[in-house]
Amino acid sequence: MGIKKITKDNEYELLRFCNKTNTNVIGGASRLLKHFIKIEKPKNIYSFADNRWSSLTRNLYLNIGFKLISTSSQGYFYTKDYKTRLHRYNFNKFKLKAMGADITKTETKIMEEWGYVRVWDCGTARYELDLSQTPNQPSPL
């Protein structure tokens, strides 16, 4: 489980949870999260899930106490070799201009001319675990 502290107010982002291929530890995510909460005492933990895998991740997040807060519409990235994903923010008009592009053309047209393909994703979901309750209230886990 990868977690990163975001603010001085004890807010964290859960970056990644994964298992070894063909291995599942029942209750493993919950136990890791409980241990993290006991040690770090966060007020809030949030995480983003790729909607391509929503049926798998939705159940995990909900089972360990997170609530679905929002979902985003689809986004996109670029690739040339179908192995490397390049985030679209790397190719906004300001950056394309600095790279010598003709900015009278659209981002999509410029990228096509440079040999890139735009690939659409399924958007993301934001989950949060609010732990800012008073000490007398029970933990959601």
Side-chain angles (χ1 to χ4, degrees), residues 70-104:
S70 63
T71 57
S72 71
S73 59
Q74 66 185 18
Y76 61 91
F77 59 89
Y78 289 103
T79 186
K80 263 190 174 181
D81 59 9
Y82 295 95
K83 295 177 187 172
T84 307
R85 289 194 287 175
L86 303 169
H87 200 277
R88 66 183 181 271
Y89 293 132
N90 294 318
F91 304 103
N92 63 36
K93 284 282 188 140
F94 179 77
K95 292 180 181 178
L96 289 171
K97 182 179 180 181
M99 292 182 224
D102 176 0
I103 61 166
T104 63

mmCIF file of all heavy atoms in Angstrom, residues 70-104:
data_model
loop_
_atom_site.group_PDB
_atom_site.id
_atom_site.type_symbol
_atom_site.label_atom_id
_atom_site.label_comp_id
_atom_site.label_asym_id
_atom_site.label_seq_id
_atom_site.Cartn_x
_atom_site.Cartn_y
_atom_site.Cartn_z
ATOM 1 N N SER A 70 -16.946 11.453 -5.994
ATOM 2 C CA SER A 70 -17.233 11.989 -7.320
ATOM 3 C C SER A 70 -16.635 11.088 -8.393
ATOM 4 O O SER A 70 -15.788 10.251 -8.109
ATOM 5 C CB SER A 70 -16.662 13.410 -7.465
ATOM 6 O OG SER A 70 -15.251 13.373 -7.350
ATOM 7 N N THR A 71 -17.097 11.301 -9.613
ATOM 8 C CA THR A 71 -16.510 10.620 -10.769
ATOM 9 C C THR A 71 -16.241 11.664 -11.844
ATOM 10 O O THR A 71 -16.962 12.657 -11.951
ATOM 11 C CB THR A 71 -17.429 9.522 -11.349
ATOM 12 O OG1 THR A 71 -18.674 10.100 -11.704
ATOM 13 C CG2 THR A 71 -17.658 8.406 -10.348
ATOM 14 N N SER A 72 -15.187 11.442 -12.617
ATOM 15 C CA SER A 72 -14.868 12.374 -13.699
ATOM 16 C C SER A 72 -15.276 11.765 -15.032
ATOM 17 O O SER A 72 -15.424 10.547 -15.152
ATOM 18 C CB SER A 72 -13.368 12.676 -13.716
ATOM 19 O OG SER A 72 -12.651 11.547 -14.165
ATOM 20 N N SER A 73 -15.446 12.626 -16.008
ATOM 21 C CA SER A 73 -15.716 12.131 -17.352
ATOM 22 C C SER A 73 -14.421 11.573 -17.937
ATOM 23 O O SER A 73 -13.357 11.698 -17.344
ATOM 24 C CB SER A 73 -16.261 13.261 -18.227
ATOM 25 O OG SER A 73 -15.323 14.312 -18.285
ATOM 26 N N GLN A 74 -14.543 10.992 -19.088
ATOM 27 C CA GLN A 74 -13.350 10.393 -19.700
ATOM 28 C C GLN A 74 -12.294 11.443 -20.008
ATOM 29 O O GLN A 74 -12.598 12.602 -20.223
ATOM 30 C CB GLN A 74 -13.721 9.624 -20.958
ATOM 31 C CG GLN A 74 -14.252 10.472 -22.088
ATOM 32 C CD GLN A 74 -14.717 9.630 -23.257
ATOM 33 O OE1 GLN A 74 -14.944 8.447 -23.130
ATOM 34 N NE2 GLN A 74 -14.853 10.245 -24.408
ATOM 35 N N GLY A 75 -11.058 10.998 -19.986
ATOM 36 C CA GLY A 75 -9.927 11.842 -20.339
ATOM 37 C C GLY A 75 -9.152 11.150 -21.448
ATOM 38 O O GLY A 75 -9.630 10.183 -22.048
ATOM 39 N N TYR A 76 -7.961 11.636 -21.720
ATOM 40 C CA TYR A 76 -7.154 11.013 -22.765
ATOM 41 C C TYR A 76 -5.678 11.220 -22.479
ATOM 42 O O TYR A 76 -5.288 12.026 -21.653
ATOM 43 C CB TYR A 76 -7.509 11.571 -24.149
ATOM 44 C CG TYR A 76 -7.277 13.054 -24.301
ATOM 45 C CD1 TYR A 76 -6.061 13.539 -24.761
ATOM 46 C CD2 TYR A 76 -8.275 13.972 -23.988
ATOM 47 C CE1 TYR A 76 -5.834 14.905 -24.896
ATOM 48 C CE2 TYR A 76 -8.058 15.342 -24.122
ATOM 49 C CZ TYR A 76 -6.836 15.795 -24.577
ATOM 50 O OH TYR A 76 -6.621 17.140 -24.705
ATOM 51 N N PHE A 77 -4.876 10.448 -23.197
ATOM 52 C CA PHE A 77 -3.426 10.584 -23.154
ATOM 53 C C PHE A 77 -2.925 10.351 -24.563
ATOM 54 O O PHE A 77 -3.702 9.991 -25.459
ATOM 55 C CB PHE A 77 -2.797 9.611 -22.144
ATOM 56 C CG PHE A 77 -3.087 8.157 -22.422
ATOM 57 C CD1 PHE A 77 -2.254 7.406 -23.237
ATOM 58 C CD2 PHE A 77 -4.193 7.543 -21.863
ATOM 59 C CE1 PHE A 77 -2.521 6.068 -23.484
ATOM 60 C CE2 PHE A 77 -4.467 6.203 -22.109
ATOM 61 C CZ PHE A 77 -3.620 5.470 -22.917
ATOM 62 N N TYR A 78 -1.640 10.558 -24.774
ATOM 63 C CA TYR A 78 -1.044 10.332 -26.083
ATOM 64 C C TYR A 78 -0.014 9.211 -26.018
ATOM 65 O O TYR A 78 0.580 8.954 -24.971
ATOM 66 C CB TYR A 78 -0.349 11.601 -26.593
ATOM 67 C CG TYR A 78 -1.310 12.696 -26.979
ATOM 68 C CD1 TYR A 78 -1.529 13.785 -26.148
ATOM 69 C CD2 TYR A 78 -2.004 12.636 -28.180
ATOM 70 C CE1 TYR A 78 -2.414 14.799 -26.504
ATOM 71 C CE2 TYR A 78 -2.892 13.643 -28.542
ATOM 72 C CZ TYR A 78 -3.089 14.710 -27.703
ATOM 73 O OH TYR A 78 -3.967 15.703 -28.053
ATOM 74 N N THR A 79 0.180 8.569 -27.164
ATOM 75 C CA THR A 79 1.223 7.555 -27.274
ATOM 76 C C THR A 79 1.737 7.536 -28.705
ATOM 77 O O THR A 79 1.025 7.907 -29.635
ATOM 78 C CB THR A 79 0.722 6.157 -26.858
ATOM 79 O OG1 THR A 79 1.821 5.255 -26.850
ATOM 80 C CG2 THR A 79 -0.366 5.635 -27.789
ATOM 81 N N LYS A 80 2.958 7.087 -28.859
ATOM 82 C CA LYS A 80 3.532 6.834 -30.188
ATOM 83 C C LYS A 80 3.763 5.345 -30.367
ATOM 84 O O LYS A 80 3.600 4.814 -31.446
ATOM 85 C CB LYS A 80 4.871 7.575 -30.348
ATOM 86 C CG LYS A 80 4.778 8.881 -31.060
ATOM 87 C CD LYS A 80 6.169 9.409 -31.385
ATOM 88 C CE LYS A 80 6.058 10.652 -32.224
ATOM 89 N NZ LYS A 80 7.352 11.205 -32.591
ATOM 90 N N ASP A 81 4.163 4.703 -29.278
ATOM 91 C CA ASP A 81 4.587 3.308 -29.375
ATOM 92 C C ASP A 81 3.598 2.321 -28.741
ATOM 93 O O ASP A 81 3.838 1.133 -28.717
ATOM 94 C CB ASP A 81 5.961 3.127 -28.719
ATOM 95 C CG ASP A 81 5.977 3.520 -27.247
ATOM 96 O OD1 ASP A 81 4.898 3.787 -26.661
ATOM 97 O OD2 ASP A 81 7.080 3.570 -26.675
ATOM 98 N N TYR A 82 2.496 2.806 -28.207
ATOM 99 C CA TYR A 82 1.475 1.998 -27.526
ATOM 100 C C TYR A 82 2.011 1.295 -26.278
ATOM 101 O O TYR A 82 1.400 0.390 -25.751
ATOM 102 C CB TYR A 82 0.823 0.985 -28.477
ATOM 103 C CG TYR A 82 0.038 1.666 -29.565
ATOM 104 C CD1 TYR A 82 0.611 1.908 -30.814
ATOM 105 C CD2 TYR A 82 -1.254 2.117 -29.337
ATOM 106 C CE1 TYR A 82 -0.097 2.562 -31.794
ATOM 107 C CE2 TYR A 82 -1.969 2.771 -30.324
ATOM 108 C CZ TYR A 82 -1.387 2.989 -31.543
ATOM 109 O OH TYR A 82 -2.092 3.646 -32.521
ATOM 110 N N LYS A 83 3.167 1.730 -25.804
ATOM 111 C CA LYS A 83 3.735 1.213 -24.560
ATOM 112 C C LYS A 83 3.836 2.319 -23.521
ATOM 113 O O LYS A 83 3.710 2.075 -22.336
ATOM 114 C CB LYS A 83 5.131 0.627 -24.804
ATOM 115 C CG LYS A 83 5.131 -0.594 -25.689
ATOM 116 C CD LYS A 83 6.536 -1.075 -25.950
ATOM 117 C CE LYS A 83 6.538 -2.191 -26.963
ATOM 118 N NZ LYS A 83 7.879 -2.548 -27.385
ATOM 119 N N THR A 84 4.093 3.536 -23.995
ATOM 120 C CA THR A 84 4.308 4.680 -23.122
ATOM 121 C C THR A 84 3.112 5.615 -23.215
ATOM 122 O O THR A 84 2.716 6.003 -24.315
ATOM 123 C CB THR A 84 5.581 5.438 -23.541
ATOM 124 O OG1 THR A 84 6.655 4.514 -23.600
ATOM 125 C CG2 THR A 84 5.896 6.546 -22.569
ATOM 126 N N ARG A 85 2.541 5.952 -22.038
ATOM 127 C CA ARG A 85 1.444 6.916 -21.998
ATOM 128 C C ARG A 85 2.005 8.278 -21.613
ATOM 129 O O ARG A 85 2.737 8.404 -20.643
ATOM 130 C CB ARG A 85 0.393 6.503 -20.960
ATOM 131 C CG ARG A 85 -0.388 5.299 -21.382
ATOM 132 C CD ARG A 85 -1.621 5.121 -20.540
ATOM 133 N NE ARG A 85 -1.306 4.649 -19.207
ATOM 134 C CZ ARG A 85 -2.208 4.507 -18.254
ATOM 135 N NH1 ARG A 85 -3.459 4.826 -18.463
ATOM 136 N NH2 ARG A 85 -1.846 4.052 -17.075
ATOM 137 N N LEU A 86 1.666 9.286 -22.382
ATOM 138 C CA LEU A 86 2.109 10.652 -22.125
ATOM 139 C C LEU A 86 0.890 11.489 -21.766
ATOM 140 O O LEU A 86 -0.063 11.576 -22.541
ATOM 141 C CB LEU A 86 2.810 11.229 -23.352
ATOM 142 C CG LEU A 86 4.005 10.407 -23.851
ATOM 143 C CD1 LEU A 86 4.467 10.904 -25.203
ATOM 144 C CD2 LEU A 86 5.129 10.469 -22.842
ATOM 145 N N HIS A 87 0.903 12.077 -20.595
ATOM 146 C CA HIS A 87 -0.248 12.828 -20.109
ATOM 147 C C HIS A 87 -0.519 14.030 -20.993
ATOM 148 O O HIS A 87 0.402 14.705 -21.449
ATOM 149 C CB HIS A 87 -0.005 13.275 -18.666
ATOM 150 C CG HIS A 87 -1.265 13.622 -17.962
ATOM 151 N ND1 HIS A 87 -1.862 14.855 -18.087
ATOM 152 C CD2 HIS A 87 -2.068 12.887 -17.147
ATOM 153 C CE1 HIS A 87 -2.969 14.882 -17.370
ATOM 154 N NE2 HIS A 87 -3.115 13.695 -16.787
ATOM 155 N N ARG A 88 -1.783 14.304 -21.203
ATOM 156 C CA ARG A 88 -2.181 15.402 -22.102
ATOM 157 C C ARG A 88 -1.690 16.761 -21.633
ATOM 158 O O ARG A 88 -1.502 17.663 -22.436
ATOM 159 C CB ARG A 88 -3.697 15.410 -22.269
ATOM 160 C CG ARG A 88 -4.468 15.749 -21.019
ATOM 161 C CD ARG A 88 -5.976 15.663 -21.271
ATOM 162 N NE ARG A 88 -6.725 16.002 -20.095
ATOM 163 C CZ ARG A 88 -7.091 15.142 -19.151
ATOM 164 N NH1 ARG A 88 -6.761 13.876 -19.269
ATOM 165 N NH2 ARG A 88 -7.780 15.540 -18.115
ATOM 166 N N TYR A 89 -1.474 16.946 -20.324
ATOM 167 C CA TYR A 89 -0.996 18.233 -19.827
ATOM 168 C C TYR A 89 0.404 18.572 -20.337
ATOM 169 O O TYR A 89 0.818 19.721 -20.309
ATOM 170 C CB TYR A 89 -1.014 18.278 -18.296
ATOM 171 C CG TYR A 89 -2.408 18.233 -17.717
ATOM 172 C CD1 TYR A 89 -2.724 17.371 -16.687
ATOM 173 C CD2 TYR A 89 -3.422 19.045 -18.215
ATOM 174 C CE1 TYR A 89 -4.007 17.314 -16.159
ATOM 175 C CE2 TYR A 89 -4.698 19.005 -17.703
ATOM 176 C CZ TYR A 89 -4.984 18.140 -16.675
ATOM 177 O OH TYR A 89 -6.249 18.092 -16.155
ATOM 178 N N ASN A 90 1.120 17.574 -20.817
ATOM 179 C CA ASN A 90 2.442 17.824 -21.393
ATOM 180 C C ASN A 90 2.351 18.509 -22.757
ATOM 181 O O ASN A 90 3.365 18.929 -23.302
ATOM 182 C CB ASN A 90 3.212 16.515 -21.552
ATOM 183 C CG ASN A 90 3.533 15.881 -20.228
ATOM 184 O OD1 ASN A 90 3.912 16.561 -19.287
ATOM 185 N ND2 ASN A 90 3.373 14.583 -20.142
ATOM 186 N N PHE A 91 1.129 18.603 -23.302
ATOM 187 C CA PHE A 91 0.972 19.099 -24.660
ATOM 188 C C PHE A 91 -0.090 20.193 -24.758
ATOM 189 O O PHE A 91 -0.819 20.272 -25.734
ATOM 190 C CB PHE A 91 0.628 17.930 -25.594
ATOM 191 C CG PHE A 91 1.642 16.831 -25.532
ATOM 192 C CD1 PHE A 91 1.387 15.661 -24.832
ATOM 193 C CD2 PHE A 91 2.892 16.982 -26.122
ATOM 194 C CE1 PHE A 91 2.336 14.654 -24.747
ATOM 195 C CE2 PHE A 91 3.848 15.995 -26.039
ATOM 196 C CZ PHE A 91 3.568 14.814 -25.351
ATOM 197 N N ASN A 92 -0.158 21.066 -23.749
ATOM 198 C CA ASN A 92 -1.075 22.199 -23.864
ATOM 199 C C ASN A 92 -0.478 23.211 -24.857
ATOM 200 O O ASN A 92 0.673 23.096 -25.268
ATOM 201 C CB ASN A 92 -1.379 22.821 -22.501
ATOM 202 C CG ASN A 92 -0.153 23.416 -21.832
ATOM 203 O OD1 ASN A 92 0.720 23.974 -22.487
ATOM 204 N ND2 ASN A 92 -0.077 23.303 -20.520
ATOM 205 N N LYS A 93 -1.273 24.191 -25.241
ATOM 206 C CA LYS A 93 -0.838 25.137 -26.281
ATOM 207 C C LYS A 93 0.455 25.865 -25.921
ATOM 208 O O LYS A 93 1.323 26.054 -26.771
ATOM 209 C CB LYS A 93 -1.945 26.170 -26.548
ATOM 210 C CG LYS A 93 -3.094 25.636 -27.357
ATOM 211 C CD LYS A 93 -2.738 25.575 -28.831
ATOM 212 C CE LYS A 93 -3.952 25.238 -29.644
ATOM 213 N NZ LYS A 93 -4.050 25.956 -30.880
ATOM 214 N N PHE A 94 0.608 26.248 -24.668
ATOM 215 C CA PHE A 94 1.816 26.948 -24.230
ATOM 216 C C PHE A 94 3.047 26.061 -24.447
ATOM 217 O O PHE A 94 4.070 26.511 -24.972
ATOM 218 C CB PHE A 94 1.674 27.338 -22.757
ATOM 219 C CG PHE A 94 2.881 28.036 -22.201
ATOM 220 C CD1 PHE A 94 3.131 29.364 -22.489
ATOM 221 C CD2 PHE A 94 3.775 27.347 -21.395
ATOM 222 C CE1 PHE A 94 4.247 30.011 -21.974
ATOM 223 C CE2 PHE A 94 4.891 27.984 -20.875
ATOM 224 C CZ PHE A 94 5.129 29.310 -21.169
ATOM 225 N N LYS A 95 2.944 24.785 -24.063
ATOM 226 C CA LYS A 95 4.078 23.866 -24.208
ATOM 227 C C LYS A 95 4.317 23.509 -25.671
ATOM 228 O O LYS A 95 5.454 23.381 -26.105
ATOM 229 C CB LYS A 95 3.856 22.620 -23.360
ATOM 230 C CG LYS A 95 3.920 22.930 -21.875
ATOM 231 C CD LYS A 95 3.705 21.707 -21.029
ATOM 232 C CE LYS A 95 3.750 22.094 -19.551
ATOM 233 N NZ LYS A 95 3.496 20.951 -18.681
ATOM 234 N N LEU A 96 3.240 23.343 -26.433
ATOM 235 C CA LEU A 96 3.396 23.048 -27.865
ATOM 236 C C LEU A 96 4.069 24.206 -28.593
ATOM 237 O O LEU A 96 4.908 23.996 -29.470
ATOM 238 C CB LEU A 96 2.041 22.723 -28.496
ATOM 239 C CG LEU A 96 1.422 21.388 -28.093
ATOM 240 C CD1 LEU A 96 -0.001 21.284 -28.616
ATOM 241 C CD2 LEU A 96 2.272 20.224 -28.578
ATOM 242 N N LYS A 97 3.721 25.426 -28.222
ATOM 243 C CA LYS A 97 4.347 26.605 -28.828
ATOM 244 C C LYS A 97 5.848 26.600 -28.534
ATOM 245 O O LYS A 97 6.672 26.850 -29.423
ATOM 246 C CB LYS A 97 3.709 27.885 -28.300
ATOM 247 C CG LYS A 97 4.287 29.135 -28.913
ATOM 248 C CD LYS A 97 3.611 30.385 -28.375
ATOM 249 C CE LYS A 97 4.223 31.620 -29.015
ATOM 250 N NZ LYS A 97 3.619 32.856 -28.503
ATOM 251 N N ALA A 98 6.214 26.287 -27.285
ATOM 252 C CA ALA A 98 7.630 26.231 -26.898
ATOM 253 C C ALA A 98 8.376 25.128 -27.662
ATOM 254 O O ALA A 98 9.581 25.220 -27.858
ATOM 255 C CB ALA A 98 7.755 26.010 -25.392
ATOM 256 N N MET A 99 7.647 24.123 -28.116
ATOM 257 C CA MET A 99 8.254 23.025 -28.889
ATOM 258 C C MET A 99 8.299 23.334 -30.384
ATOM 259 O O MET A 99 8.717 22.500 -31.180
ATOM 260 C CB MET A 99 7.472 21.723 -28.675
ATOM 261 C CG MET A 99 7.568 21.150 -27.291
ATOM 262 S SD MET A 99 6.634 19.592 -27.235
ATOM 263 C CE MET A 99 5.764 19.776 -25.707
ATOM 264 N N GLY A 100 7.827 24.520 -30.759
ATOM 265 C CA GLY A 100 7.895 24.929 -32.157
ATOM 266 C C GLY A 100 6.667 24.608 -32.975
ATOM 267 O O GLY A 100 6.698 24.669 -34.207
ATOM 268 N N ALA A 101 5.558 24.299 -32.342
ATOM 269 C CA ALA A 101 4.338 23.943 -33.067
ATOM 270 C C ALA A 101 3.629 25.188 -33.594
ATOM 271 O O ALA A 101 3.765 26.282 -33.049
ATOM 272 C CB ALA A 101 3.400 23.180 -32.145
ATOM 273 N N ASP A 102 2.878 24.993 -34.670
ATOM 274 C CA ASP A 102 2.030 26.045 -35.221
ATOM 275 C C ASP A 102 0.755 26.070 -34.383
ATOM 276 O O ASP A 102 -0.129 25.219 -34.554
ATOM 277 C CB ASP A 102 1.702 25.715 -36.682
ATOM 278 C CG ASP A 102 0.740 26.694 -37.320
ATOM 279 O OD1 ASP A 102 0.308 27.651 -36.645
ATOM 280 O OD2 ASP A 102 0.393 26.479 -38.508
ATOM 281 N N ILE A 103 0.637 27.030 -33.474
ATOM 282 C CA ILE A 103 -0.488 27.025 -32.544
ATOM 283 C C ILE A 103 -1.791 27.546 -33.138
ATOM 284 O O ILE A 103 -2.792 27.662 -32.437
ATOM 285 C CB ILE A 103 -0.156 27.767 -31.230
ATOM 286 C CG1 ILE A 103 0.175 29.216 -31.489
ATOM 287 C CG2 ILE A 103 0.930 27.051 -30.467
ATOM 288 C CD1 ILE A 103 0.168 30.058 -30.224
ATOM 289 N N THR A 104 -1.796 27.805 -34.453
ATOM 290 C CA THR A 104 -3.077 28.098 -35.098
ATOM 291 C C THR A 104 -3.844 26.801 -35.324
ATOM 292 O O THR A 104 -5.040 26.827 -35.585
ATOM 293 C CB THR A 104 -2.883 28.826 -36.453
ATOM 294 O OG1 THR A 104 -2.168 27.972 -37.347
ATOM 295 C CG2 THR A 104 -2.151 30.148 -36.248
#
